[in-house]
Each structure stands twice: as C-alpha cells, then as structure tokens.
Amino acid sequence: MASKRKRVVLSLADKLKIIEQLDKGVTGKKLSEIYDVGQATISDIKNSKSTLLTEKLGYSSFKASNGWLRNFKFRHGVRELDLAGEKLSADSAAAENFIEKFKTASESYDPEFVYNADETGLVWKALPKTTLASKRESSAPGHKVSKERVTVLNCANSTGNHKLPLLLIGKSRNPRAFKNVKKLPLFYKSQPKAWMTAALFTEWYDEVFIPEVKKHQKSVGKEGSKVLLIVDNAPTHPTAELLERENGQFKTTFLPPNVTSLLQPMDQSVIETMKRHYRRQLLRKLLIEGAEDEELVLANHSKINLKDCCYMVAEAWSLVTAVTLRRAWNKLKGLPSEKNKKKESEENEKQEYGEDDDDEDALSLEEIRKMIVKIPGCTEVSAEDVGEWMACDTSDPGFQILNDDEIVVSVREDVEVEEELSADVEVDAGPSASEAFAGLETALKWMERQPECDHLQLLTVKRMRDLAARKRLKTAKQLTLTEMFKKQ
C-alpha cells in the first residue's frame, strides 16, 4: 500500500520560483519531485501564472525571495509559525514543562500585574436553530451568518482584580448603529472581515492595555511595577520584541501552541462564562421588549444592532466574577483545580477576598432553555439545541490563519469593506439635555423604590442626571446670550 503524501503548503515565493522554472523549461514532473507536491498542483500554479504575477502586488515583474517575504512579515508584525503545531492535540508534557518555566519567569512580577489576553469570535445575533427567528433568517435570500460575527478580546490579571474593557472588532468602520455615539462601554475597532490582525493587536496594546494597566497601578499605589502579558501563539500576535515597551517594564510571553487549551486562563471557562452571560442578555432583550407573538419577536430580533451587541457583551463581561478569573489561572500556576479541591479552598477564598462563590452554576443550560421557551416561536427548543447554540462559535479563534499569498493581499489591501453605510445617514440630534434630565429624574425616583437596586447603581444614575442638568443649564445660558444679541 502506497504511503500517503504529506500535505505541503507552498509559499508565494515558492510558487513564483516554480513559474520561473517552468518558463525555463523545467518539467512539471521534475518540479513536483523537488517541491514534494502532486503534478496537478504544479499544473494549477502554471494556469494561475497571470494572477500570481499581477493580482498579488500589482507588479508583473515582482519576484519575492524568501528573505523579502520574511522581512515583509517582520515589518508588519506577522510572526513565523509552524501552523501544523496549532492543530496538535493538547500536549500534557509540554504543559508541565511550560508551568515550570512560567513559575520561574513570573517570580519577578507582582501577580497583580501578570495578565492574559485572548480573542474569540462571537456570533452575536444567533439564536438556537429551532427558533422561528433562526429558521426564518437562515432561509432569507442572501442571508450570511458571517455578517453577524465580531471578534472580542478579553484581558484580565491573575488576581482577578483588574478586568480591562473589552476590545470588539467589527466589519464596519462607521456602523450605522453608532451614529452620534461618542462613547461605548468598550473599545471598538474595524477590520473588513472582523478578524484580529497584528496591526490591531499592536494598536490595542499601545492604546488600551498599557494605559489601563498604568491606571490600575496608580489606583493601587504601585506605579512603575513590571508588567507581563501572556498570550497564545496566534499568528496575529506580534513578536515579544515588537511588544516590549517602557524600557522592558512591559513584556509579553507566548504559550506554546499545543498547550493553549490546557493552560491559557481565558480558555479555562472565562470566555465560556462571558458568552453564556451574553446569550442570556440576548434572551432578556427579546423578553423585555414585551413581544406577545412570533411576528413581534421576529421584528424585535431584526432590530438588534451592533450597538446593542456592544452593551450586552460589555455587561456579560462585567458579570464574570473575580473568583472565576482568579481560578482560571490555577492550571498555569500548577495549582489544583478539581472541584473537590475547589470546595476545600472555598472558605479560605471567601475570607481572604470577601467574595461570594462563582456564578457559573446560575447559568446552567436547563435554566437558559427555560428562558427561551417562554419566548413566542421558541417553544420547540430542546436542551441539545441550547448546547449547540452555546457552542456555535467555540471554535472561532477570532483570527484567520493565512498562507503567504493571503498575508500579502491582506496587508496591502487598502479597500475597506463596509458592512453598513453611514455616509448618507441623516444626522439625528438625539434627546436634548432637558429630555435626558427628565428621563433620568424619573428613572432615579423609580429605582429608589426598588429593593434590588444598590447604592452604587443609584449613585451612577444620579451622576448621569446631574450631568444632564449641567448641560441643560449650559444650553439655557447659550440660548439667553443668543437672544440678547438678536435684540441688539
């Protein structure tokens, strides 16, 4: 029995070399032996000659050497990886080895300033496939689920005391849902396919991570402490050298590619818990809208936009407890994480941190299913449907693994694909300061009578009301001055 040929992925440089050798008269059979590919592959490259020479960079005379491609990747922060390694099954031995290395490396860092960041895809509008809304949408002409995905970057420290605001990557540079919005509960960036890229990660690192960490350092009185960020081996994470800042005060280290699922803190139920909270937020939004029949549910679901997604996912992230975040580091720190060990240390944690137990049990699939079946058009949803729904984007890493051809096209591409047009959108001035004040005043009076509302929520609404009051007064003064000038 003939052995199966190992799959070989040719780089752009290799393909251009093959074209050059074909032009010199080297046979396809000889080239297939040299590059260890089938003759059909050589034939496909020959037939794609014009596309390879003109479409990629726009220069028909361009010849990419391996050195050029290597330097090109370095300039744009694209790391060289053995992509096959990303697909290896979890390696327990490698995990144990990295745990020991992490213990040594982290000794010189305050646990308060050791962070983990990880991106994930979120299909933000999806419902279980057996709901009427899902059936109707999936059968609609031109429907594409991919249009409804975003990438979310989570980051928190090893003590669970500092959760950074989320980064959310959407497709549109100026989403229609954001018109006249100057502040969101997270950081928003755009990319034509809503993927994380090396450029976006670097931008997040400089504009969000470092400032937020410095702010936290100041709040705890530890300015100038060294900071370590741990990330996985995704190709969209620039090299450690490119991410070193502040004369070495901010450093980054990478998890080996085949231990991520075993050790990465954000993968130890943190992102899963956030997504469960998010999907409960989505269900609550449909229920709160007060839809009394299936058509109203469909109408309400269709109105959910990217701004709603931002608020729901930010709220979901806020509901992930410090206990959940802290326990997520147990495996990386080599600490016991089994449930029986968890129970043994539970009381010690409560005494040390003054916190309640983690809230994952309150988000069981059965409880979520009970919420769903209350919604018109969702009565046929089973526990299995809920499980599939919860896992619908589990395998979405938030980035796209590109071959060399696609890397060049992606970095050179300067045409922004807009999901939603905003240039021709009529500007809406929105509620006036007086209208906002009246609404917040009513909300505050209502909240004061609700036993569920705590003092922080009341103070937050009061501050918003006071802000509206100040802006109302400022507007009134401006109007008075205008009237005076008119009279003169």
Side-chain angles (χ1 to χ4, degrees):
M1 182 177 177
S3 61
K4 187 176 180 181
R5 178 189 287 117
K6 180 181 178 182
R7 182 175 182 269
V8 175
V9 179
L10 296 174
S11 68
L12 174 63
D14 288 334
K15 291 177 182 178
L16 293 172
K17 285 181 180 178
I18 288 172
I19 290 172
E20 183 179 354
Q21 290 171 311
L22 285 169
D23 289 341
K24 291 179 179 179
V26 180
T27 65
K29 182 178 180 181
K30 181 65 175 177
L31 290 172
S32 70
E33 293 173 355
I34 294 173
Y35 289 93
D36 194 23
V37 296
Q39 291 188 49
T41 300
I42 302 297
S43 179
D44 289 341
I45 293 172
K46 181 179 180 180
N47 294 334
S48 303
K49 175 181 176 179
S50 60
T51 301
L52 288 168
L53 292 176
T54 61
E55 185 182 352
K56 300 305 177 189
L57 290 174
Y59 300 103
S60 59
S61 59
F62 176 78
K63 294 184 179 181
S65 66
N66 286 326
W68 179 91
L69 191 59
R70 182 174 60 252
N71 293 333
F72 177 86
K73 288 179 178 180
F74 178 80
R75 286 196 306 273
H76 294 285
V78 181
R79 294 169 51 243
E80 295 279 5
L81 295 176
D82 176 9
L83 294 183
E86 297 287 348
K87 299 177 183 178
L88 293 176
S89 58
D91 188 336
S92 299
E96 290 298 325
N97 185 41
F98 186 80
I99 288 171
E100 293 304 314
K101 289 182 178 179
F102 174 73
K103 284 181 180 178
T104 302
S106 61
E107 284 178 354
S108 60
Y109 291 87
D110 184 331
E112 194 70 20
F113 306 116
V114 177
Y115 291 80
N116 175 230
D118 187 28
E119 55 271 275
T120 182
L122 176 68
V123 184
W124 58 273
K125 206 171 178 180
L127 289 173
K129 63 183 181 182
T130 47
T131 62
L132 182 62
S134 183
K135 290 177 181 177
R136 185 79 62 88
E137 245 185 39
S138 60
S139 63
H143 171 76
K144 290 183 180 179
V145 174
S146 60
K147 285 186 176 181
E148 298 171 351
R149 73 166 296 283
V150 293
T151 292
V152 178
L153 180 69
N154 300 71
C155 183
N157 68 356
S158 67
T159 64
N161 296 327
H162 186 209
K163 277 187 294 190
L164 275 73
L166 296 173
L167 170 68
L168 187 142
I169 304 170
K171 292 183 179 181
S172 176
R173 180 181 296 172
N174 299 302
R176 180 173 298 179
F178 293 179
K179 65 176 181 178
N180 301 316
V181 174
K182 294 183 179 180
K183 190 72 175 178
L184 289 167
L186 45 67
F187 291 93
Y188 178 83
K189 295 293 181 181
S190 63
Q191 195 273 340
K193 294 183 180 179
W195 295 113
M196 175 64 80
T197 65
L200 283 178
F201 189 91
T202 304
E203 190 175 354
W204 168 83
Y205 186 75
D206 288 327
E207 296 182 6
V208 180
F209 178 73
I210 293 177
E212 289 293 326
V213 171
K214 285 185 173 181
K215 190 188 302 182
H216 180 60
Q217 288 179 334
K218 186 175 182 180
S219 71
V220 298
K222 294 183 178 180
E223 294 97 326
S225 297
K226 293 196 300 180
V227 178
L228 179 64
L229 174 65
I230 299 165
V231 293
D232 61 29
N233 212 33
T236 50
H237 297 159
T239 63
E241 292 77 15
L242 288 177
L243 292 176
E244 186 171 315
R245 299 286 189 275
E246 311 277 331
N247 294 320
Q249 289 299 103
F250 282 78
K251 287 192 173 183
T252 302
T253 190
F254 296 91
L255 289 161
N258 52 338
V259 305
T260 299
S261 62
L262 294 174
L263 299 181
Q264 175 149 249
M266 291 299 140
D267 284 343
Q268 311 306 314
S269 83
V270 174
I271 288 176
E272 178 188 1
T273 299
M274 181 195 73
K275 287 186 176 182
R276 286 199 178 192
H277 280 302
Y278 175 83
R279 295 198 156 99
R280 187 169 66 170
Q281 293 283 322
L282 180 60
L283 294 177
R284 279 180 173 171
K285 184 166 182 62
L286 291 178
L287 288 167
I288 290 173
E289 296 295 333
E292 299 175 357
D293 58 48
E294 295 176 355
E295 292 303 320
L296 281 175
V297 170
L298 291 170
N300 290 336
H301 182 252
S302 66
K303 291 176 185 176
I304 295 173
N305 58 36
L306 194 57
K307 186 173 76 169
D308 296 322
C309 168
C310 290
Y311 275 92
M312 289 190 290
V313 76
E315 175 69 9
W317 180 229
S318 74
L319 293 172
V320 178
T321 67
V323 176
T324 298
L325 291 169
R326 187 166 57 254
R327 286 178 180 157
W329 289 78
N330 284 352
K331 291 183 178 179
L332 183 54
K333 292 179 177 180
L335 301 175
S337 57
E338 297 83 4
K339 286 192 175 181
N340 57 335
K341 298 291 184 182
K342 167 181 164 181
K343 289 180 180 178
E344 290 176 10
S345 62
E346 195 174 71
E347 291 304 318
N348 290 334
E349 283 188 342
K350 287 182 181 180
Q351 290 175 10
E352 182 178 357
Y353 295 94
E355 297 167 339
D356 293 328
D357 192 11
D358 131 23
D359 58 354
E360 290 180 65
D361 293 339
L363 287 167
S364 69
L365 296 182
E366 179 56 25
E367 287 184 328
I368 293 174
R369 189 192 71 82
K370 288 178 180 178
M371 285 183 66
I372 296 175
V373 295
K374 293 178 182 177
I375 303 173
C378 304
T379 55
E380 297 180 6
V381 174
S382 66
E384 183 179 357
D385 296 329
V386 175
E388 289 182 5
W389 178 45
M390 289 294 173
C392 69
D393 44 27
T394 300
S395 61
D396 186 333
F399 61 87
Q400 191 174 25
I401 295 178
L402 305 174
N403 58 33
D404 288 342
D405 301 31
E406 293 166 330
I407 288 172
V408 175
V409 173
S410 175
V411 177
R412 291 295 191 195
E413 189 178 53
D414 58 3
V415 178
E416 183 83 19
V417 179
E418 295 289 338
E419 179 188 26
E420 300 171 300
L421 297 176
S422 59
D424 299 326
V425 176
E426 186 177 338
V427 177
D428 179 8
S432 66
S434 294
E435 290 170 333
F437 174 81
L440 289 165
E441 176 74 4
T442 301
L444 185 59
K445 289 179 179 178
W446 179 84
M447 291 177 68
E448 289 170 343
R449 291 164 174 77
Q450 310 308 312
E452 299 90 347
C453 295
D454 60 35
H455 66 285
L456 289 177
Q457 292 171 327
L458 290 171
L459 285 174
T460 299
V461 175
K462 177 185 177 298
R463 288 168 185 156
M464 291 190 293
R465 183 202 64 181
D466 293 346
L467 174 63
R470 291 195 296 272
K471 288 184 175 286
R472 180 183 64 169
L473 181 61
K474 184 178 179 181
T475 302
K477 288 180 178 179
Q478 289 173 341
L479 289 173
T480 302
L481 287 171
T482 302
E483 290 174 359
M484 287 176 62
F485 283 116
K486 281 184 178 179
K487 289 180 180 179
Q488 293 176 353

